[in-house]
Amino acid sequence: MSARPIVAITMGDPAGVGPEITARALAREEVWNCCRPLVVGDAGVLKQAIAVVAVPLVPHPIDDATDAHFDPAAPDVLDLHNVNPAELQPGAVSAAAGRAAVDYIEQAAELAQAGMVDGIATGPINKAALKEAGVPYIGHTELLAALTGEERVTTMLATPGLRAVHVTRHVPLGEVAAYITRERVLETIRLTDAGLKDMGIPHPRVAVAALNPHGGDEGLIGREEIEAIGPAVEAAQAVGIDAHGPIPADSVFFRAIQGEFDVVVAMYHDQGHIPIKTHGFERSVTVTLGLSIVRTSVDHGTAFDIAWQGVAHEESMVEAIRLAAQMATHTHF
């Protein structure tokens, strides 16, 4: 591999666990082995987080990304100076913290679009804090889609041994069936195939889950498999995608874990989230597929209940950084 990619790491909501898991991740050798990390955040907050988790690091504040020196003992922080550490209230929703978190994302996205970093790994943000700050987006995916001008994006969850992509995400369960159309399923399969190729998997094997019990039982328990999911799989196969399904959801994830498939396309939020988090909660990450930039993220929230207590685990952040580096170099680690 050529020079290690530069991965921008956003600290997330400074009142949450983001600064702590960032500090812990920066102390991990495998992070530096796979990339050159550049923290986008507030140097004063990161300094406090380093003290809380007691890792032997001294942050190196910079005002321009080109000044980064990538020293493992003194990680670079593109310092936006947008948080007063003395006024920060750990574990509390605040407009100031929500706005700061968005500033980090916007700056990282700008660096990625300019080619100054090769990918971004994002810390957790808080929906309530975004609302308090007047931010018109519910989370990272919607904000990044707006920043990059992309209309068709989706989320992949990944943990060692299992990946899942969702046709629908934040849709009430009673409304999901209306969203399962041939076009939506096919679009998700296409995004999934392209995303796994970016991860260094040249010929992804894509399993597509059924929506209904027993795969609809030939229309006896629902017709979405016949009218939408099956035709989408056939259309994907027609353009060379190695897609399979619809496969009953109660068996498809087991088959993927056994190595038969590289990814499962799930029809709704919990259909994909429950298997991923059961199989490997602490190491699960998310990836936004369909963006013009590489973006991965921890697969957990701000955890205000344990924030700034020095107990948050960094495994998901480490995995998010590793995956961003992998996608940036099209290398399957």
Side-chain angles (χ1 to χ4, degrees):
M1 187 173 70
S2 58
R4 289 166 295 137
I6 300 174
V7 175
I9 304 168
T10 62
M11 289 196 327
D13 189 305
V17 297
E20 294 167 81
I21 61 174
T22 299
R24 286 191 190 275
L26 291 168
R28 296 275 293 266
E29 183 178 357
E30 58 261 51
V31 166
W32 294 89
N33 286 342
C34 73
C35 74
R36 291 172 288 169
L38 171 63
V39 178
V40 180
D42 185 278
V45 172
L46 184 62
K47 183 178 180 180
Q48 287 190 346
I50 287 171
V52 167
V53 300
V55 291
L57 303 175
V58 178
H60 174 234
I62 57 177
D63 293 320
D64 191 298
T66 59
D67 293 330
H69 63 186
F70 305 113
D71 179 355
D76 303 292
V77 185
L78 185 58
D79 193 355
L80 301 194
H81 307 280
N82 58 0
V83 179
N84 183 345
E87 296 179 358
L88 183 64
Q89 297 182 39
V93 172
S94 78
R99 182 66 252 176
V102 171
D103 290 345
Y104 306 149
I105 300 162
E106 292 175 341
Q107 181 64 68
E110 183 177 321
L111 291 173
Q113 288 176 297
M116 298 181 70
V117 301
D118 300 295
I120 63 177
T122 59
I125 58 178
N126 184 276
K127 292 179 175 62
L130 297 187
K131 185 176 181 179
E132 288 280 335
V135 177
Y137 302 103
I138 194 171
H140 278 105
T141 300
E142 295 78 11
L143 173 58
L144 286 165
L147 291 173
T148 59
E150 304 290 347
E151 294 183 2
R152 305 300 184 186
V153 299
T154 192
T155 298
M156 178 174 74
L157 276 72
T159 195
L162 186 63
R163 306 178 186 91
V165 181
H166 300 77
V167 175
T168 66
R169 294 185 304 116
H170 299 141
V171 175
L173 189 56
E175 300 174 18
V176 165
Y179 286 80
I180 304 304
T181 64
R182 176 187 177 279
E183 291 72 23
R184 286 180 185 273
V185 176
L186 178 58
E187 179 179 86
T188 305
I189 296 171
R190 286 177 177 271
L191 289 171
T192 301
D193 180 68
L196 264 67
K197 287 175 179 174
D198 283 341
M199 293 171 60
I201 301 173
H203 305 291
R205 297 164 300 165
V206 182
V208 182
L211 174 67
N212 296 297
H214 307 293
D217 250 348
E218 299 183 357
L220 295 176
I221 319 176
R223 298 191 56 80
E224 286 79 10
E225 288 75 18
I226 296 172
E227 297 174 358
I229 304 173
V233 171
E234 292 172 1
Q237 292 169 341
V239 295
I241 296 174
D242 188 10
H244 305 261
I247 301 171
D250 60 1
S251 63
V252 67
F253 293 97
F254 173 78
R255 292 171 64 178
I257 291 169
Q258 293 297 107
E260 188 175 347
F261 306 114
D262 297 301
V263 65
V264 177
V265 171
M267 294 300 112
Y268 57 93
H269 184 280
D270 283 8
Q271 189 184 62
H273 277 63
I274 291 172
I276 289 287
K277 295 193 175 186
T278 301
H279 187 60
F281 182 82
E282 287 190 349
R283 298 181 66 187
S284 62
V285 301
T286 65
V287 184
T288 304
L289 303 181
L291 293 176
S292 55
I293 61 176
V294 171
R295 179 262 169 166
T296 66
S297 181
V298 297
D299 184 29
H300 60 73
T302 46
F304 281 164
D305 57 324
I306 61 168
W308 290 89
Q309 298 175 32
V311 297
H313 294 284
E314 76 275 17
E315 293 296 339
S316 184
M317 177 60 86
V318 171
E319 290 296 326
I321 296 167
R322 281 170 44 84
L323 184 54
Q326 174 182 326
M327 293 182 67
T329 55
H330 300 269
T331 302
H332 188 41
F333 291 155

